[in-house]
Amino acid sequence: MKEAFLIILTGYLFIINIIGFALMGIDKKRAVRGAWRISEASLFLTAFLGGALGCTLGMRRFRHKTKHWYFKYGMPAIFAAQAFLALFLCRSLN
């Protein structure tokens, strides 16, 4: 049971981080073209739902939103909080 939960959680985190990375790239492409943009709230929601690492890596890879302090410091802070929570939960489960 515990192993199945960890497999599902790992799969979810992998997918949500790929989505976060892709959203940053898509939004950057749209910004360059002057097209309709992905809202900042959607980008942060993706990060809060577990995709903070993917959003942070996408932000740096595509050089997108790096001048906004709330992205520059907020995304890594969300990731740090998620990593701390993951470590805490792993230690609690063992």
Side-chain angles (χ1 to χ4, degrees):
M1 175 99 163
K2 189 163 127 179
E3 293 82 19
F5 173 74
L6 289 176
I7 291 170
I8 292 169
L9 180 62
T10 302
Y12 168 77
L13 290 174
F14 180 77
I15 291 168
I16 195 72
N17 279 286
I18 294 295
I19 290 169
F21 185 85
L23 285 176
M24 284 294 185
I26 292 166
D27 194 47
K28 174 65 175 195
K29 192 174 203 179
R30 289 178 178 178
V32 170
R33 289 190 323 215
W36 174 83
R37 304 281 302 280
I38 297 169
S39 71
E40 292 181 350
S42 294
L43 296 173
F44 271 107
L45 178 63
T46 303
F48 278 116
L49 292 176
L53 178 61
C55 288
T56 301
L57 293 175
M59 184 176 71
R60 294 182 188 220
R61 168 67 176 95
F62 301 112
R63 287 184 239 152
H64 187 52
K65 302 283 188 187
T66 56
K67 293 184 180 179
H68 300 277
W69 67 268
Y70 43 92
F71 275 92
K72 186 175 181 178
Y73 301 111
M75 290 291 179
I78 295 168
F79 173 66
Q82 289 172 348
F84 177 76
L85 179 63
L87 287 173
F88 177 76
L89 291 175
C90 284
R91 296 187 105 193
S92 298
L93 293 175
N94 288 331

